[in-house]
Amino acid sequence: MCGIVGYIGKRDATPILMEGLHRLEYRGYDSAGLAVARNEKLQVIKTKGKVRDLERILPERIKGMTGIAHTRWATHGEPSDRNAHPHTDTSERFAIVHNGIIENAASLRTKLEASGVTFRSETDSEVIAHLLAASPADTLEDSLRSVLRLVTGTYGIAVLDAQRPESIVIARNGSPVVIGIGDREMFVASDPAALVRHTQSVVHLDDGELAVVRADGYETSTLDGGATAKTPLTIPWTDESFDKGEFSHYMRKEIAEQPDAIRRTLSGRLEPRFQTTHIGGLEMAARELLEVKRIKILGCGSAYIAGSLGAHLIEQLARLPASAEPASEFRYRNPVIEQDTLYIAVSQSGETFDTLAAVQEVKRKGGRVLGIVNVVGSTIARECARGIYLHAGPEIAVVSTKTFTSTVVAFALLAVHLGRLKDLSTAQGARLLAALQALPDQVATILNQEARIATLAQRFARHENAYFVGRAAGFPIAMEGALKLKEISYLHAEAYPASELKHGPLALISPETPTVIVMPRDDLYAKNLSTIEEIRARSGPTFVITQPGDPLPMPVDAVIEVPKSEAVLDPLLLNIPLQLLAYHVALARGRNIDQPRNLAKSVTVE
Ligand code: G6P
């Protein structure tokens, strides 16, 4: 999705802006540009394509100590040089970069055109630059305030005035903007990833806030002009955590980081003395937790699937009814919000618009929401106020791997905590704590099987369609395996509960359609063996993900075994080979693994 970077200080802005844009590439975009102010003039360079294309056309002489830059993900108007940001007014005095959507852009545009303005792009954003030029206000912040009163929609915005380059003005409504505090220099970004190289001290704007950012400080206020007080937050990530290191893809690096990510999610949260867990950010006493009668989990994409596993963990360990639902659908069905339900929002980035909207819907109706989020200080984390941070480290690849795993671990921590308040015995608690601690090494042993999985992937890569099936908690794993495969290899992959296979999809099983069967050696193992027979009877290739035990009673095309854990944690381990399978199929098919087509890391628009 779109990204914003800004710099104001004593250094040359262009290299800092370019480096910031590179840091935002992972979010997905189709064009890039920057504007730098010098000698009361704007220098604007922009292009369709990648940041390196922008680098190629950047003139030597583009110098200046105040600048803003942008990576665009097309919404209004095709990806093109013309539609790339920054946009300027006719006299090229004001430059703006904008994330979000201006919903009344068409009517504003008609009015501006009637007053003689000629538009140079098809974007909704350009209206802002022209409205700034038309504003009679004395200061840039007052001009922006008056413009924002005219627009409806969502924005994270940064504005530059060539005639007053001593500040950058930023504002937020629904799309994040943060200020990075440096030493007599300041940074602006839509994502702290763009500025961690320079500072770890950041201030997040809230919706309806505006900030004037100068080299030596900043002031925040509401859109009406009332000052607001902000406390800077330290982001726990360093620049090194964004490096690809020895790996050829971030996804592969993040798969490899899972043992450490799990350790960090667990760190300080196990309480062996009472065979339970301790979750600092929960901020709910035992009595309050015991009043919870139901748990409803909301998330999108992999976060929703991790939530489905979370629901399973909570139901099994705490015997509380729990279910997950795509956050993107939630608000549209006018949901009933119950006082005795605990709502949990899951989001790696903490910025997914649909998840945030679901959180707001729950809160508006008086419900309680807890966040399970990776990015500290992100919008959903702040909106939920209480919750569990994953501490998995930054995830750069568009598809989630380590944060999926860490989310399941976070749910396990919560489920043990809730379970131990109820019927889970000390012995069961102790066993679960031991199983959680064993997970990092178990994941590492699965990663050691990469060569075998890569060979299997070669066979898989020849097909165009695949099924993934599982039962009970094996089904969300089938969903995650299918999602990962389709996202990065573009192979059509569909997940089905194994029990449903005979109610439709069996019609499509043939030697051309492989099926991955997720089958732990649990009570449903025998039923899964029948599923394999059903597929084999139609000559469908079968790839089995299971655990060590007796050999399968029938021939299959491949078997991958993962170590056994406590039954409720088994799904987490069964998922790891599927991550490697998706990665190697995508590699064999020559795909852009870290930035799959049409997808963005965090979807901050509806
Ligand atoms: C996008 C990504 C998915 C991700 C989903 C939720 O759709 O492409 O991979 O699972 O957003 O992201 P979140 O940051 O809320 O976990």
Side-chain angles (χ1 to χ4, degrees):
M1 294 264 110
C2 302
I4 290 174
V5 195
Y7 174 78
I8 183 159
K10 293 278 167 286
R11 292 192 276 163
D12 197 359
T14 309
I16 297 168
L17 295 175
M18 291 303 294
E19 194 257 342
L21 290 183
H22 275 302
R23 284 286 183 230
L24 294 183
E25 288 195 279
Y26 79 98
R27 301 178 67 92
Y29 69 104
D30 48 51
S31 48
L34 60 79
V36 172
R38 192 184 193 197
N39 299 335
E40 303 205 348
K41 289 214 157 39
L42 286 179
Q43 306 159 84
V44 182
I45 312 287
K46 51 193 199 172
T47 183
K48 176 183 169 179
K50 294 287 166 191
V51 176
R52 60 175 179 278
D53 299 315
L54 181 68
E55 227 149 33
R56 235 173 268 137
I57 59 165
L58 214 56
E60 284 278 315
R61 58 178 196 289
I62 183 158
K63 296 262 188 273
M65 292 177 293
T66 312
I68 55 177
H70 194 254
T71 48
R72 173 175 188 254
W73 194 78
T75 54
H76 288 53
E78 51 161 22
S80 67
D81 296 357
R82 210 172 61 248
N83 287 337
H85 296 217
H87 293 287
T88 57
D89 65 307
T90 313
S91 68
E92 306 231 324
R93 174 178 167 183
F94 299 99
I96 67 110
V97 288
H98 166 229
N99 291 354
I101 295 173
I102 305 297
E103 284 158 9
N104 58 341
S107 67
L108 291 170
R109 191 180 176 114
T110 311
K111 279 188 206 141
L112 285 160
E113 280 171 340
S115 70
V117 171
T118 307
F119 276 77
R120 285 170 290 192
S121 78
E122 289 113 49
T123 65
D124 54 331
S125 311
E126 190 183 340
V127 293
I128 300 168
H130 296 297
L131 289 170
L132 280 172
S135 165
D138 290 337
T139 62
L140 184 58
E141 59 271 29
D142 284 342
S143 298
L144 184 60
R145 268 194 196 100
S146 64
V147 170
L148 295 179
R149 261 179 232 127
L150 301 176
V151 306
T152 54
T154 54
Y155 49 80
I157 192 166
V159 177
L160 182 62
D161 176 354
Q163 290 182 13
R164 286 175 290 196
E166 59 280 0
S167 69
I168 295 173
V169 179
I170 58 175
R172 165 184 174 140
N173 181 40
S175 201
V177 211
V178 297
I179 305 169
I181 305 169
D183 181 13
R184 275 164 294 173
E185 58 181 359
M186 292 280 177
F187 307 86
V188 163
S190 52
D191 173 342
L195 42 81
V196 280
R197 175 155 188 200
H198 306 286
T199 178
Q200 282 169 270
S201 177
V202 301
V203 167
H204 291 263
L205 286 201
D206 286 312
D207 279 347
E209 263 186 328
L210 176 144
V212 179
V213 184
R214 297 179 314 274
D216 59 358
Y218 64 90
E219 286 118 35
T220 56
S221 54
T222 62
L223 286 185
D224 299 330
T228 54
K230 311 291 287 185
T231 313
L233 198 86
T234 303
I235 33 180
W237 299 346
T238 60
D239 190 39
E240 294 82 70
S241 40
F242 288 87
D243 281 339
K244 223 185 300 182
E246 70 202 70
F247 297 96
S248 41
H249 297 94
Y250 280 108
M251 181 187 178
R252 182 63 193 82
K253 175 186 177 234
E254 287 153 10
I255 289 174
E257 282 172 345
Q258 290 181 109
D260 280 342
I262 297 172
R263 280 187 200 102
R264 283 200 301 270
T265 308
L266 292 176
S267 176
R269 289 167 168 167
L270 301 181
E271 273 208 54
R273 203 154 65 98
F274 300 111
Q275 298 84 26
T276 186
T277 60
H278 167 79
I279 304 167
L282 203 56
E283 290 175 8
M284 285 174 81
R287 184 182 293 271
E288 208 184 335
L289 285 170
L290 284 169
E291 282 164 8
V292 170
K293 294 284 169 284
R294 255 171 312 280
I295 296 207
K296 178 79 176 171
I297 301 161
L298 301 160
C300 297
S302 291
Y304 156 63
I305 300 175
S308 305
L309 285 172
H312 183 80
L313 274 154
I314 291 166
E315 282 206 345
Q316 295 309 308
L317 300 183
R319 300 310 290 159
L320 263 181
S323 62
E325 176 175 341
S328 41
E329 285 289 314
F330 183 70
R331 65 192 182 282
Y332 293 120
R333 63 172 180 80
N334 191 16
V336 176
I337 303 298
E338 296 162 308
Q339 290 306 309
D340 53 5
T341 298
L342 176 64
Y343 294 84
I344 303 182
V346 183
S347 175
Q348 182 288 127
S349 62
E351 301 296 348
T352 300
F353 182 87
D354 284 323
T355 311
L356 176 64
V359 170
Q360 288 166 339
E361 176 77 3
V362 174
K363 283 179 67 182
R364 200 180 56 75
K365 290 182 167 170
R368 274 174 304 193
V369 203
L370 192 106
I372 296 189
V373 171
N374 191 34
V375 180
V376 174
S378 56
T379 311
I380 293 171
R382 286 180 298 130
E383 189 80 35
C384 291
R386 53 183 155 189
I388 312 177
Y389 277 124
L390 300 180
H391 301 306
E395 190 173 69
I396 306 297
V398 163
V399 294
S400 53
T401 50
K402 66 173 177 175
T403 60
F404 178 87
T405 299
S406 280
T407 302
V408 178
V409 171
F411 271 116
L413 288 168
L414 180 63
V416 171
H417 188 77
L418 293 172
R420 288 287 293 121
L421 293 179
K422 300 176 85 187
D423 297 337
L424 207 63
S425 69
T426 51
Q428 286 168 308
R431 274 210 311 275
L432 284 158
L433 295 202
L436 283 167
Q437 281 174 299
L439 286 175
D441 290 342
Q442 290 181 311
V443 170
T445 64
I446 303 171
L447 297 180
N448 288 338
Q449 297 187 55
E450 181 166 9
R452 274 200 63 217
I453 298 170
T455 312
L456 197 144
Q458 296 295 334
R459 280 154 65 195
F460 224 90
R462 290 197 292 269
H463 296 278
E464 285 308 320
N465 301 288
Y467 277 107
F468 285 69
V469 298
R471 287 166 200 265
F475 175 54
I477 294 306
M479 284 167 71
E480 177 61 8
L483 179 64
K484 215 94 300 179
L485 189 66
K486 74 183 132 205
E487 282 180 308
I488 57 168
S489 74
Y490 315 152
L491 194 150
H492 169 238
E494 206 179 337
Y496 247 90
S499 50
E500 281 282 304
L501 203 62
K502 58 186 171 301
H503 298 299
L506 215 46
L508 293 175
I509 297 293
S510 77
E512 292 312 312
T513 317
T515 303
V516 175
I517 303 111
V518 179
M519 45 186 285
R521 293 194 184 250
D522 57 10
D523 296 347
L524 302 170
Y525 185 73
K527 295 207 179 295
N528 281 321
L529 290 178
S530 312
T531 301
I532 296 179
E533 290 294 16
E534 284 168 11
I535 299 166
R536 282 183 26 113
R538 278 87 190 168
S539 311
T542 43
F543 295 84
V544 175
I545 314 291
T546 185
Q547 295 156 329
D550 299 335
L552 293 174
M554 73 284 278
V556 293
D557 293 83
V559 180
I560 302 287
E561 288 180 350
V562 305
K564 183 95 192 68
S565 176
E566 285 293 311
V568 283
L569 295 173
D570 282 338
L572 184 150
L573 296 172
L574 291 159
N575 181 50
I576 308 294
L578 301 184
Q579 298 174 336
L580 288 169
L581 177 70
Y583 175 79
H584 283 283
V585 172
L587 203 60
R589 290 167 73 113
R591 303 305 191 204
N592 183 353
I593 293 179
D594 285 335
Q595 288 167 37
R597 70 182 180 205
N598 305 340
L599 299 180
K601 181 68 180 159
S602 85
V603 183
T604 50
V605 292
E606 189 170 359

PDB file of all heavy atoms in Angstrom, residues 387-410:
ATOM      1  N   GLY A 387      -3.756  -5.905  25.325  1.00  0.00           N
ATOM      2  CA  GLY A 387      -3.572  -7.027  24.419  1.00  0.00           C
ATOM      3  C   GLY A 387      -2.222  -7.692  24.560  1.00  0.00           C
ATOM      4  O   GLY A 387      -1.538  -7.552  25.577  1.00  0.00           O
ATOM      5  N   ILE A 388      -1.868  -8.424  23.536  1.00  0.00           N
ATOM      6  CA  ILE A 388      -0.617  -9.185  23.563  1.00  0.00           C
ATOM      7  C   ILE A 388       0.206  -8.779  22.348  1.00  0.00           C
ATOM      8  O   ILE A 388      -0.256  -8.917  21.210  1.00  0.00           O
ATOM      9  CB  ILE A 388      -0.899 -10.717  23.488  1.00  0.00           C
ATOM     10  CG1 ILE A 388      -1.991 -11.121  24.489  1.00  0.00           C
ATOM     11  CG2 ILE A 388       0.385 -11.511  23.704  1.00  0.00           C
ATOM     12  CD1 ILE A 388      -2.382 -12.597  24.422  1.00  0.00           C
ATOM     13  N   TYR A 389       1.390  -8.259  22.587  1.00  0.00           N
ATOM     14  CA  TYR A 389       2.304  -8.010  21.479  1.00  0.00           C
ATOM     15  C   TYR A 389       3.037  -9.308  21.162  1.00  0.00           C
ATOM     16  O   TYR A 389       3.436 -10.050  22.071  1.00  0.00           O
ATOM     17  CB  TYR A 389       3.326  -6.938  21.853  1.00  0.00           C
ATOM     18  CG  TYR A 389       2.816  -5.524  21.662  1.00  0.00           C
ATOM     19  CD1 TYR A 389       2.820  -4.610  22.705  1.00  0.00           C
ATOM     20  CD2 TYR A 389       2.357  -5.102  20.417  1.00  0.00           C
ATOM     21  CE1 TYR A 389       2.362  -3.312  22.533  1.00  0.00           C
ATOM     22  CE2 TYR A 389       1.889  -3.801  20.232  1.00  0.00           C
ATOM     23  CZ  TYR A 389       1.898  -2.915  21.286  1.00  0.00           C
ATOM     24  OH  TYR A 389       1.449  -1.639  21.104  1.00  0.00           O
ATOM     25  N   LEU A 390       3.258  -9.542  19.859  1.00  0.00           N
ATOM     26  CA  LEU A 390       3.917 -10.794  19.472  1.00  0.00           C
ATOM     27  C   LEU A 390       5.423 -10.761  19.708  1.00  0.00           C
ATOM     28  O   LEU A 390       6.053 -11.777  19.955  1.00  0.00           O
ATOM     29  CB  LEU A 390       3.675 -11.081  17.987  1.00  0.00           C
ATOM     30  CG  LEU A 390       2.223 -11.230  17.536  1.00  0.00           C
ATOM     31  CD1 LEU A 390       2.167 -11.518  16.041  1.00  0.00           C
ATOM     32  CD2 LEU A 390       1.546 -12.361  18.308  1.00  0.00           C
ATOM     33  N   HIS A 391       6.034  -9.584  19.539  1.00  0.00           N
ATOM     34  CA  HIS A 391       7.494  -9.428  19.617  1.00  0.00           C
ATOM     35  C   HIS A 391       8.215 -10.363  18.635  1.00  0.00           C
ATOM     36  O   HIS A 391       9.276 -10.885  18.939  1.00  0.00           O
ATOM     37  CB  HIS A 391       8.013  -9.682  21.042  1.00  0.00           C
ATOM     38  CG  HIS A 391       7.398  -8.758  22.058  1.00  0.00           C
ATOM     39  ND1 HIS A 391       7.430  -7.390  21.926  1.00  0.00           N
ATOM     40  CD2 HIS A 391       6.714  -9.008  23.208  1.00  0.00           C
ATOM     41  CE1 HIS A 391       6.796  -6.835  22.951  1.00  0.00           C
ATOM     42  NE2 HIS A 391       6.354  -7.792  23.736  1.00  0.00           N
ATOM     43  N   ALA A 392       7.598 -10.588  17.486  1.00  0.00           N
ATOM     44  CA  ALA A 392       8.198 -11.499  16.495  1.00  0.00           C
ATOM     45  C   ALA A 392       9.263 -10.804  15.650  1.00  0.00           C
ATOM     46  O   ALA A 392       9.927 -11.442  14.838  1.00  0.00           O
ATOM     47  CB  ALA A 392       7.104 -12.063  15.585  1.00  0.00           C
ATOM     48  N   GLY A 393       9.437  -9.497  15.835  1.00  0.00           N
ATOM     49  CA  GLY A 393      10.369  -8.750  14.981  1.00  0.00           C
ATOM     50  C   GLY A 393       9.665  -8.369  13.691  1.00  0.00           C
ATOM     51  O   GLY A 393       8.597  -8.902  13.377  1.00  0.00           O
ATOM     52  N   PRO A 394      10.253  -7.432  12.922  1.00  0.00           N
ATOM     53  CA  PRO A 394       9.557  -6.964  11.718  1.00  0.00           C
ATOM     54  C   PRO A 394       9.364  -8.080  10.701  1.00  0.00           C
ATOM     55  O   PRO A 394      10.248  -8.906  10.505  1.00  0.00           O
ATOM     56  CB  PRO A 394      10.474  -5.875  11.157  1.00  0.00           C
ATOM     57  CG  PRO A 394      11.753  -6.011  11.862  1.00  0.00           C
ATOM     58  CD  PRO A 394      11.529  -6.749  13.124  1.00  0.00           C
ATOM     59  N   GLU A 395       8.199  -8.090  10.072  1.00  0.00           N
ATOM     60  CA  GLU A 395       7.948  -9.044   8.998  1.00  0.00           C
ATOM     61  C   GLU A 395       7.815  -8.239   7.706  1.00  0.00           C
ATOM     62  O   GLU A 395       6.933  -7.388   7.593  1.00  0.00           O
ATOM     63  CB  GLU A 395       6.671  -9.834   9.276  1.00  0.00           C
ATOM     64  CG  GLU A 395       6.492 -10.995   8.334  1.00  0.00           C
ATOM     65  CD  GLU A 395       5.308 -11.857   8.751  1.00  0.00           C
ATOM     66  OE1 GLU A 395       4.160 -11.378   8.642  1.00  0.00           O
ATOM     67  OE2 GLU A 395       5.525 -12.992   9.197  1.00  0.00           O
ATOM     68  N   ILE A 396       8.710  -8.509   6.778  1.00  0.00           N
ATOM     69  CA  ILE A 396       8.804  -7.691   5.560  1.00  0.00           C
ATOM     70  C   ILE A 396       8.090  -8.351   4.382  1.00  0.00           C
ATOM     71  O   ILE A 396       7.441  -7.676   3.590  1.00  0.00           O
ATOM     72  CB  ILE A 396      10.294  -7.441   5.189  1.00  0.00           C
ATOM     73  CG1 ILE A 396      11.053  -6.849   6.388  1.00  0.00           C
ATOM     74  CG2 ILE A 396      10.420  -6.539   3.973  1.00  0.00           C
ATOM     75  CD1 ILE A 396      10.578  -5.503   6.838  1.00  0.00           C
ATOM     76  N   ALA A 397       8.241  -9.661   4.229  1.00  0.00           N
ATOM     77  CA  ALA A 397       7.565 -10.351   3.119  1.00  0.00           C
ATOM     78  C   ALA A 397       6.072 -10.088   3.239  1.00  0.00           C
ATOM     79  O   ALA A 397       5.542 -10.025   4.355  1.00  0.00           O
ATOM     80  CB  ALA A 397       7.836 -11.849   3.179  1.00  0.00           C
ATOM     81  N   VAL A 398       5.402  -9.931   2.103  1.00  0.00           N
ATOM     82  CA  VAL A 398       3.970  -9.655   2.150  1.00  0.00           C
ATOM     83  C   VAL A 398       3.221 -10.768   2.884  1.00  0.00           C
ATOM     84  O   VAL A 398       2.348 -10.515   3.709  1.00  0.00           O
ATOM     85  CB  VAL A 398       3.406  -9.442   0.718  1.00  0.00           C
ATOM     86  CG1 VAL A 398       1.897  -9.577   0.704  1.00  0.00           C
ATOM     87  CG2 VAL A 398       3.795  -8.057   0.220  1.00  0.00           C
ATOM     88  N   VAL A 399       3.575 -12.020   2.597  1.00  0.00           N
ATOM     89  CA  VAL A 399       2.856 -13.102   3.284  1.00  0.00           C
ATOM     90  C   VAL A 399       3.416 -13.322   4.682  1.00  0.00           C
ATOM     91  O   VAL A 399       4.621 -13.207   4.898  1.00  0.00           O
ATOM     92  CB  VAL A 399       2.905 -14.425   2.485  1.00  0.00           C
ATOM     93  CG1 VAL A 399       2.152 -14.283   1.190  1.00  0.00           C
ATOM     94  CG2 VAL A 399       4.314 -14.912   2.256  1.00  0.00           C
ATOM     95  N   SER A 400       2.540 -13.634   5.606  1.00  0.00           N
ATOM     96  CA  SER A 400       3.047 -13.804   6.967  1.00  0.00           C
ATOM     97  C   SER A 400       3.417 -15.252   7.227  1.00  0.00           C
ATOM     98  O   SER A 400       2.738 -16.177   6.795  1.00  0.00           O
ATOM     99  CB  SER A 400       2.039 -13.292   7.977  1.00  0.00           C
ATOM    100  OG  SER A 400       0.813 -13.889   7.750  1.00  0.00           O
ATOM    101  N   THR A 401       4.512 -15.421   7.897  1.00  0.00           N
ATOM    102  CA  THR A 401       4.976 -16.757   8.284  1.00  0.00           C
ATOM    103  C   THR A 401       5.261 -16.742   9.783  1.00  0.00           C
ATOM    104  O   THR A 401       4.514 -17.313  10.563  1.00  0.00           O
ATOM    105  CB  THR A 401       6.250 -17.156   7.497  1.00  0.00           C
ATOM    106  OG1 THR A 401       7.216 -16.094   7.587  1.00  0.00           O
ATOM    107  CG2 THR A 401       5.914 -17.454   6.051  1.00  0.00           C
ATOM    108  N   LYS A 402       6.319 -15.998  10.163  1.00  0.00           N
ATOM    109  CA  LYS A 402       6.656 -16.024  11.595  1.00  0.00           C
ATOM    110  C   LYS A 402       5.580 -15.357  12.443  1.00  0.00           C
ATOM    111  O   LYS A 402       5.355 -15.759  13.584  1.00  0.00           O
ATOM    112  CB  LYS A 402       8.028 -15.390  11.850  1.00  0.00           C
ATOM    113  CG  LYS A 402       8.130 -13.912  11.560  1.00  0.00           C
ATOM    114  CD  LYS A 402       9.484 -13.375  12.007  1.00  0.00           C
ATOM    115  CE  LYS A 402       9.627 -11.914  11.651  1.00  0.00           C
ATOM    116  NZ  LYS A 402      10.847 -11.312  12.160  1.00  0.00           N
ATOM    117  N   THR A 403       4.876 -14.369  11.896  1.00  0.00           N
ATOM    118  CA  THR A 403       3.851 -13.734  12.731  1.00  0.00           C
ATOM    119  C   THR A 403       2.615 -14.626  12.849  1.00  0.00           C
ATOM    120  O   THR A 403       1.906 -14.572  13.851  1.00  0.00           O
ATOM    121  CB  THR A 403       3.449 -12.334  12.223  1.00  0.00           C
ATOM    122  OG1 THR A 403       2.941 -12.456  10.909  1.00  0.00           O
ATOM    123  CG2 THR A 403       4.627 -11.381  12.255  1.00  0.00           C
ATOM    124  N   PHE A 404       2.378 -15.460  11.824  1.00  0.00           N
ATOM    125  CA  PHE A 404       1.285 -16.445  11.944  1.00  0.00           C
ATOM    126  C   PHE A 404       1.594 -17.375  13.122  1.00  0.00           C
ATOM    127  O   PHE A 404       0.774 -17.599  14.013  1.00  0.00           O
ATOM    128  CB  PHE A 404       1.151 -17.249  10.641  1.00  0.00           C
ATOM    129  CG  PHE A 404       0.095 -18.307  10.693  1.00  0.00           C
ATOM    130  CD1 PHE A 404      -1.223 -18.009  10.374  1.00  0.00           C
ATOM    131  CD2 PHE A 404       0.406 -19.607  11.092  1.00  0.00           C
ATOM    132  CE1 PHE A 404      -2.215 -18.988  10.439  1.00  0.00           C
ATOM    133  CE2 PHE A 404      -0.583 -20.586  11.162  1.00  0.00           C
ATOM    134  CZ  PHE A 404      -1.898 -20.268  10.831  1.00  0.00           C
ATOM    135  N   THR A 405       2.820 -17.900  13.103  1.00  0.00           N
ATOM    136  CA  THR A 405       3.236 -18.836  14.160  1.00  0.00           C
ATOM    137  C   THR A 405       3.189 -18.167  15.528  1.00  0.00           C
ATOM    138  O   THR A 405       2.661 -18.731  16.493  1.00  0.00           O
ATOM    139  CB  THR A 405       4.652 -19.351  13.831  1.00  0.00           C
ATOM    140  OG1 THR A 405       4.579 -20.024  12.574  1.00  0.00           O
ATOM    141  CG2 THR A 405       5.186 -20.301  14.869  1.00  0.00           C
ATOM    142  N   SER A 406       3.727 -16.950  15.614  1.00  0.00           N
ATOM    143  CA  SER A 406       3.738 -16.262  16.909  1.00  0.00           C
ATOM    144  C   SER A 406       2.327 -15.933  17.384  1.00  0.00           C
ATOM    145  O   SER A 406       2.062 -15.920  18.593  1.00  0.00           O
ATOM    146  CB  SER A 406       4.571 -14.975  16.829  1.00  0.00           C
ATOM    147  OG  SER A 406       5.933 -15.305  16.927  1.00  0.00           O
ATOM    148  N   THR A 407       1.416 -15.674  16.446  1.00  0.00           N
ATOM    149  CA  THR A 407       0.033 -15.401  16.850  1.00  0.00           C
ATOM    150  C   THR A 407      -0.579 -16.643  17.494  1.00  0.00           C
ATOM    151  O   THR A 407      -1.269 -16.560  18.515  1.00  0.00           O
ATOM    152  CB  THR A 407      -0.821 -14.969  15.629  1.00  0.00           C
ATOM    153  OG1 THR A 407      -0.217 -13.823  15.044  1.00  0.00           O
ATOM    154  CG2 THR A 407      -2.240 -14.628  16.030  1.00  0.00           C
ATOM    155  N   VAL A 408      -0.296 -17.800  16.891  1.00  0.00           N
ATOM    156  CA  VAL A 408      -0.835 -19.044  17.474  1.00  0.00           C
ATOM    157  C   VAL A 408      -0.235 -19.244  18.869  1.00  0.00           C
ATOM    158  O   VAL A 408      -0.931 -19.640  19.813  1.00  0.00           O
ATOM    159  CB  VAL A 408      -0.548 -20.248  16.550  1.00  0.00           C
ATOM    160  CG1 VAL A 408      -1.059 -21.537  17.174  1.00  0.00           C
ATOM    161  CG2 VAL A 408      -1.194 -20.030  15.174  1.00  0.00           C
ATOM    162  N   VAL A 409       1.052 -18.928  19.012  1.00  0.00           N
ATOM    163  CA  VAL A 409       1.699 -19.060  20.332  1.00  0.00           C
ATOM    164  C   VAL A 409       1.030 -18.102  21.328  1.00  0.00           C
ATOM    165  O   VAL A 409       0.754 -18.471  22.475  1.00  0.00           O
ATOM    166  CB  VAL A 409       3.224 -18.800  20.221  1.00  0.00           C
ATOM    167  CG1 VAL A 409       3.870 -18.721  21.597  1.00  0.00           C
ATOM    168  CG2 VAL A 409       3.882 -19.890  19.378  1.00  0.00           C
ATOM    169  N   ALA A 410       0.745 -16.880  20.876  1.00  0.00           N
ATOM    170  CA  ALA A 410       0.096 -15.908  21.770  1.00  0.00           C
ATOM    171  C   ALA A 410      -1.277 -16.430  22.209  1.00  0.00           C
ATOM    172  O   ALA A 410      -1.660 -16.310  23.379  1.00  0.00           O
ATOM    173  CB  ALA A 410      -0.046 -14.562  21.064  1.00  0.00           C
TER     174      ALA A 410
END
